[in-house]
Amino acid sequence: MKLSRRGFLVSSGAALAVRSMPQVVTKTGGRRILTLVYDKTLGMMRAVERVVP
């Protein structure tokens, strides 16, 4: 898989968000909403998780 600089930044940012998300959820509480979106830079679907109070 050929990754551009932008694609690398997006995927590394998503990985960091996944690591920090459980800590944020345990502190704030609330509902988590999972949405699938098509990412043109990666050329595939990815999951976006939001925390709603």
Side-chain angles (χ1 to χ4, degrees), residues 39-53:
D39 192 347
K40 291 181 182 178
T41 58
L42 295 175
M44 61 182 181
M45 298 292 285
R46 67 181 179 96
V48 177
E49 190 172 14
R50 297 187 294 148
V51 178
V52 178

Side-chain angles (χ1 to χ4, degrees), residues 20-30 32 51:
S20 64
M21 186 58 67
Q23 295 170 357
V24 171
V25 171
T26 56
K27 289 181 184 177
T28 61
R32 295 189 317 197
V51 178

